[in-house]
Amino acid sequence: MAETRPDDPTLDPALAGAGSGGSIRLVLVVALALVGAVVSLLLLGRDRADPWIIGLLTVLAVIGVFALFAFASGLLRFGMPDARDELARRVVDGAAEGVAIVDPLGRILYSNPRYRDITGADGVEDLRPVERLFTSDPDASEAVYRLAQGVREGKSLVEEVRVPGAAGEPVRWLKLGARPTGGAGRGARSAIWTVADLTRERERQENAFLELQHAIDYLDHAPAGFFSAAPGGAIHYINATLVDWLGYDLAEFGPGGLTVAELVPGPAAALLTGLIPTPGSVRTEVIDLDLRRKNGQTLPVRLWHRVAFASDGTAGASRTLVVNRSREDNAADPLRAAEVRFARFFHNSPVAIATIDREGRVAQANAMFARLFGGFEAGDRRSIAELVAGPSRTALAGAVATALEGKPGGAVDIALAGEGTRSARFYVAPVEDGDAASEAAIVYAVETTEQRALEAQFAQSQKMQAVGQLAGGVAHDFNNVLTAIIGYSDLLLANSRPTDPSFQDVMQIKQNANRAAGLVRQLLAFSRQQTLRPQVLNLGDVMSDLTMLLRRLIGETVKLEVKEGRELWPVKADLNQFEQVIVNLAVNARDAMPDGGTLSIRTANVPAAESARYAGAELQATDHVLVEVEDSGTGIPPAILDKIFEPFFSTKEVGKGTGLGLSTVYGIVKQTGGTLQVESEVGKGTLFRVFLPRHIPEPDAPTAKAPEAPAKAADLTGRGTLLLVEDEEAVRAFAARALASRGYNVLEAASGVEAMEVMAERGADVELVLSDVVMPEMDGPSLLKELRAAHPDIKVIFMSGYAEEAFARNLPEGADFGFLPKPFTLKQLIETVKTTLGRDG
């Protein structure tokens, strides 16, 4: 109803006759106007007429004419009733709730019949405003006060009050409402009060509640268990009978209490929470399984599990009836006891089991089968072929067809349907004594997803190891060849002048041999056979030093963002090699962003407890320091992701890359004891993670000082007898010639055995032995052991393309020897020999 003004005469019963009174006033005004007009005309005809009287009568005539005109046009009303007001009066009079209009002084201007009925007023004299009705009841008075206060503040409020009845009368429930009518600001004002009787509605609610309480009491103490659970498994209600069977306290099943997974052990929970959505239907399943008691023991039960699905497939709360099957009468009924044991075995089996009919539809399945295939019920009658991926259906259909002929279907590796790359191994066996219509074959399935992933990782690791061994062997042979090329180039350059026609040609030979030596070093890095010089590093300082170099490398079109973690743990690594790792990854990222992008490098500590977050990296449960290199480039296709660390594998154009950048990164990280992980998405970018183990120094270990580089000898000539042991003839010839040209007496041997023979004859004269590491018959470490046994103080230098650590583990602990990595130049050979002998000339 529209807001009504308290001074509206149509709502005041005392003004009910305002319509007729208005008509009388209209007649009087018109009559007065006509009389004034007539008298004025008569007086105008007389000579002695008073002009003031004539003027007054004329004014009356004008007012009468104006009143007639205003009334005719609707501008002036004389209390005539409006049809809309009459309609409003009728609506309010027929309202189901009482209505009263009260002025600022608390006087009732209007009330409808229902108000008088509810308040018990016999007539107008008994009418009282709501504010004076409940003065004897403190609770009701307080509610009325809040309503009146709301009216004074310009608010509309509603309150429900309980009103005690008089002697012998029942309690009543009333809903009181009040709202102001017009005006602004705070203070006394007219108001519309409403009163509704809620007694019958309250009685119905209380009766329904009592009935519900009786039903709950009955359900709580029923001879069967009952529980209701949300689709996620949270138990909303459980009766006292089931709580008693399980040995719990009923309070443990309140909000945030137990879940279905805690009551149903193993995969059997999938039978309850994994029902396949069927829009607009109600599913009921009969399930035999074991519940877990609080003390860990099992309780065999049969469930009638009922779930209703909405039209969109959303599952509602379950309703599950539980029958205890562990009663003592099982002993007297062997068949029932056997059924309980079978249900326990069937649903607790770690193997997925299902029976299929002759059409290949699943007739019955256990809990593991439901969990493996994301929800299944026997009533689905789905074909077994629907559970596997399309390409695998032919192989499974063949195995099923064989089993239906009464022959073993054998084992079939199958890709499962759905997202991801899940797989399983199926075994199909015929059923000889079952119901041929519903049980023609039994299907056993074991998920092999994790096994396949481990097999792929192992195969990849084996392949990388094999490629690494091959690369290391090739690098060793190349080092011998390059040593000879570089050495003989040095001999030619030593005997030539810059003005000779062949000087530049020899320089080109040496420069290209050095380039080849760089490639060989990358191969050795991949095979983890290069020489490392590890030291304790703070990666924050290393990254700060590298930032400027990286900005120059990646160019202006790529934005570099470096975010360093706080208080990074120290790591132990070769500084130069670690910088090579970051540079190679940055260059690769730059090439993946031809149109520009963002290169982000982040460092952080990874505590042992957080290692599980990086499951794909297979981290050991120890502390690591993480370096992430991420680009926003083109990404790496999944088909080649497993090949990116292989030597010489490259997607770049010919001449724009060697294919050794990432293989070098892989080898350096692995040789340092770290782990490398890569994630990539085509069109979005690639993320490389480098995990390096945290270095924890021993408490009593002295601080190692960086070794001072020995001063290089200015005079490269020398004297003394040297034994040169090298199985590669070209290297041996070059080294012997180079040493002899500097004043040394060189004895040669092509193997370790031959070297021992020379030492037997000339051992007293030999001051230094230069030996290759890998040789036939007797390798370098074995030769050192034999030499030190007869000549404890003899000095030894090993020459090798392999890392020093690769053969040092085969030497006695604390063995003293020098090391000259291949390929080496003439100058490096002479300096190493002279430094080891400790002579200046």
Side-chain angles (χ1 to χ4, degrees):
M1 186 182 73
E3 183 179 283
T4 306
R5 295 186 302 275
D7 55 349
D8 191 338
T10 64
L11 294 178
D12 190 348
L15 299 178
S20 58
S23 300
I24 295 173
R25 287 193 293 271
L26 174 63
V27 172
L28 291 175
V29 171
V30 172
L32 181 63
L34 291 175
V35 170
V38 172
V39 173
S40 298
L41 292 175
L42 293 175
L43 292 176
L44 287 174
R46 298 178 61 180
D47 296 335
R48 295 182 178 179
D50 189 344
W52 287 99
I53 296 176
I54 295 174
L56 177 62
L57 294 176
T58 303
V59 170
L60 289 174
V62 172
I63 292 175
V65 174
F66 175 77
L68 286 173
F69 173 78
F71 180 79
S73 61
L75 296 176
L76 184 64
R77 296 172 59 192
F78 289 93
M80 299 293 289
D82 192 297
R84 290 176 298 177
D85 292 341
E86 185 64 26
L87 177 62
R89 177 194 294 273
R90 292 178 181 178
V91 170
V92 175
D93 283 348
E97 61 181 9
V99 179
I101 300 177
V102 181
D103 68 8
L105 299 178
R107 295 174 300 185
I108 295 180
L109 301 179
Y110 166 80
S111 65
N112 68 349
R114 183 59 178 158
Y115 180 85
R116 294 191 287 273
D117 292 342
I118 295 176
T119 59
D122 294 332
V124 178
E125 294 78 9
D126 292 337
L127 276 178
R128 286 183 297 169
V130 175
E131 294 180 82
R132 301 175 189 171
L133 285 176
F134 310 110
T135 55
S136 61
D137 184 73
D139 293 335
S141 297
E142 186 177 347
V144 172
Y145 173 78
R146 289 194 294 268
L147 294 173
Q149 185 66 24
V151 169
R152 285 190 286 271
E153 295 176 357
K155 300 177 182 178
S156 298
L157 301 177
V158 175
E159 293 268 359
E160 288 189 10
V161 297
R162 179 180 181 275
V163 181
E169 295 183 1
V171 174
R172 290 197 304 167
W173 283 90
L174 301 179
K175 182 171 73 171
L176 308 178
R179 67 183 180 92
T181 58
R186 302 168 64 93
R189 66 181 70 191
S190 300
I192 299 176
W193 286 80
T194 60
V195 184
D197 193 342
L198 304 179
T199 305
R200 291 185 179 180
E201 182 180 347
R202 281 283 183 158
E203 289 176 353
R204 287 194 297 269
Q205 291 177 354
E206 290 177 359
N207 291 336
F209 177 78
L210 290 175
E211 291 176 3
L212 178 62
Q213 187 63 43
H214 290 321
I216 292 176
D217 289 341
Y218 172 79
L219 188 59
D220 266 343
H221 300 92
F226 181 85
F227 70 87
S228 175
I235 295 178
H236 289 168
Y237 170 78
I238 185 169
N239 72 344
T241 301
L242 184 54
V243 170
D244 181 59
W245 289 349
L246 297 175
Y248 283 95
D249 186 340
L250 196 59
E252 298 181 60
F253 289 89
L258 298 180
T259 63
V260 170
E262 294 176 270
L263 297 185
V264 183
L271 294 173
L272 303 181
T273 60
L275 293 180
I276 296 175
T278 308
S281 68
V282 178
R283 305 294 301 271
T284 301
E285 298 293 329
V286 181
I287 307 169
D288 291 320
L289 48 75
D290 286 349
L291 299 182
R292 182 191 290 117
R293 289 188 172 103
K294 185 175 183 179
N295 59 9
Q297 296 179 349
T298 57
L299 173 71
V301 296
R302 170 166 288 182
L303 307 180
W304 278 263
H305 184 62
R306 182 183 180 90
V307 178
F309 294 92
S311 58
D312 60 354
T314 303
S318 67
R319 306 288 188 268
T320 306
L321 182 67
V322 184
V323 175
N324 190 341
R325 308 193 70 184
S326 66
R327 301 294 176 84
E328 295 179 358
D329 56 358
N330 282 354
D333 187 353
L335 182 60
R336 181 175 180 180
E339 187 179 358
V340 171
R341 288 195 300 270
F342 173 76
R344 180 182 294 115
F345 158 77
F346 188 58
H347 288 302
N348 290 332
S349 172
V351 178
I353 306 173
T355 59
I356 59 175
D357 59 19
R358 299 199 67 83
E359 296 181 2
R361 294 176 302 187
V362 178
Q364 190 176 7
N366 71 344
M368 180 57 76
F369 197 89
R371 188 169 76 170
L372 180 60
F373 294 105
F376 174 81
E377 303 90 41
D380 289 338
R381 307 293 290 171
R382 285 189 295 166
S383 170
I384 191 73
E386 297 178 21
L387 307 178
V388 302
S392 300
R393 292 179 180 176
T394 303
L396 181 59
V400 171
T402 302
L404 295 179
E405 295 174 358
K407 304 174 184 178
V412 185
D413 289 323
I414 298 295
L416 300 182
E419 299 180 357
T421 56
R422 296 170 61 234
S423 61
R425 175 165 293 180
F426 281 71
Y427 302 86
V428 187
V431 176
E432 298 179 359
D433 56 352
D435 184 355
S438 61
E439 294 183 356
I442 300 178
V443 176
Y444 305 89
V446 178
E447 185 171 7
T448 58
T449 305
E450 186 176 351
Q451 178 184 344
R452 289 287 188 91
L454 291 175
E455 288 176 352
Q457 292 174 2
F458 181 74
Q460 179 69 10
S461 175
Q462 291 291 98
K463 182 176 72 173
M464 297 296 282
Q465 183 178 355
V467 173
Q469 291 177 346
L470 175 63
V474 170
H476 176 264
D477 293 338
F478 266 104
N479 273 332
N480 283 332
V481 175
L482 292 174
T483 299
I485 294 174
I486 293 173
Y488 279 111
S489 298
D490 284 340
L491 290 175
L492 287 173
L493 291 173
N495 296 322
S496 302
R497 297 178 181 177
T499 56
D500 290 346
S502 60
F503 186 87
Q504 292 300 323
D505 297 335
V506 177
M507 285 293 296
Q508 283 294 324
I509 293 173
K510 182 177 180 180
Q511 290 174 3
N512 283 280
N514 286 329
R515 287 185 56 197
L519 294 176
V520 171
R521 279 193 295 272
Q522 293 185 10
L523 279 176
L524 287 172
F526 168 74
S527 62
R528 290 173 268 173
Q529 296 175 358
Q530 65 173 341
T531 300
L532 297 180
R533 295 289 182 265
Q535 62 187 90
V536 178
L537 302 176
N538 184 316
L539 294 189
D541 297 339
V542 175
M543 295 308 306
S544 298
D545 295 340
L546 269 179
T547 300
M548 293 303 298
L549 172 62
L550 294 176
R551 293 190 190 279
R552 290 196 297 268
L553 284 174
I554 63 178
E556 296 180 356
T557 61
V558 177
K559 179 183 177 181
L560 177 63
E561 295 180 350
V562 179
K563 184 178 180 181
E564 300 179 10
R566 295 183 178 180
E567 299 180 357
L568 291 178
W569 295 322
V571 299
K572 194 169 186 179
D574 186 305
L575 175 60
N576 293 330
Q577 298 298 332
F578 177 77
E579 290 178 343
Q580 186 67 47
V581 167
I582 303 301
V583 167
N584 285 9
L585 292 177
V587 170
N588 251 49
R590 177 202 64 191
D591 295 342
M593 297 182 287
D595 299 326
T598 301
L599 172 61
S600 301
I601 301 178
R602 299 178 290 271
T603 58
N605 292 330
V606 180
E610 298 181 10
S611 299
R613 289 175 50 195
Y614 306 96
E618 299 181 355
L619 290 179
Q620 295 181 356
T622 57
D623 295 340
H624 289 80
V625 179
L626 169 64
V627 181
E628 290 184 334
V629 180
E630 183 176 17
D631 64 65
S632 58
T634 56
I636 304 173
I640 65 172
L641 195 59
D642 292 338
K643 302 179 181 179
I644 60 174
F645 297 119
E646 297 178 6
F648 304 112
F649 178 83
S650 177
T651 57
K652 300 176 184 177
E653 299 178 10
V654 177
K656 292 191 176 181
T658 63
L660 291 173
L662 290 179
S663 62
T664 301
V665 170
Y666 177 86
I668 293 173
V669 173
K670 289 294 183 180
Q671 191 173 0
T672 307
T675 304
L676 190 62
Q677 183 187 24
V678 58
E679 295 178 1
S680 186
E681 186 173 351
V682 175
K684 291 189 176 181
T686 304
L687 169 63
F688 285 91
R689 292 191 180 100
V690 178
F691 298 90
L692 298 179
R694 176 186 182 182
H695 173 69
I696 302 177
E698 297 180 6
D700 300 331
T703 304
K705 296 182 179 180
E708 297 181 1
K712 297 181 179 180
D715 181 10
L716 298 181
T717 60
R719 63 182 185 278
T721 301
L722 312 179
L723 173 58
L724 178 61
V725 187
E726 172 62 63
D727 62 327
E728 187 70 31
E729 184 176 354
V731 177
R732 188 175 69 251
F734 149 68
R737 179 177 170 184
L739 291 169
S741 66
R742 295 303 185 267
Y744 295 100
N745 180 26
V746 182
L747 305 177
E748 299 182 35
S751 66
V753 175
E754 187 175 334
M756 292 303 299
E757 295 174 354
V758 172
M759 288 297 295
E761 298 178 4
R762 303 282 303 276
D765 301 330
V766 176
E767 301 178 48
L768 175 66
V769 176
L770 285 90
S771 174
D772 191 13
V773 174
V774 180
M775 296 180 295
E777 297 182 350
M778 180 183 292
D779 60 9
S782 300
L783 175 61
L784 177 63
K785 295 176 184 177
E786 296 293 335
L787 289 174
R788 289 283 167 82
H791 308 277
D793 297 329
I794 194 168
K795 297 179 179 179
V796 177
I797 298 176
F798 282 121
M799 305 175 295
S800 178
Y802 291 111
E804 181 179 341
E805 293 83 3
F807 59 86
R809 65 176 67 98
N810 298 325
L811 296 173
E813 186 176 356
D816 184 24
F817 62 91
F819 182 73
L820 179 61
K822 292 180 180 179
F824 50 80
T825 63
L826 184 150
K827 185 177 181 181
Q828 290 171 336
L829 171 64
I830 301 301
E831 287 180 344
T832 303
V833 169
K834 191 159 188 177
T835 302
T836 303
L837 289 174
R839 295 177 181 171
D840 296 332

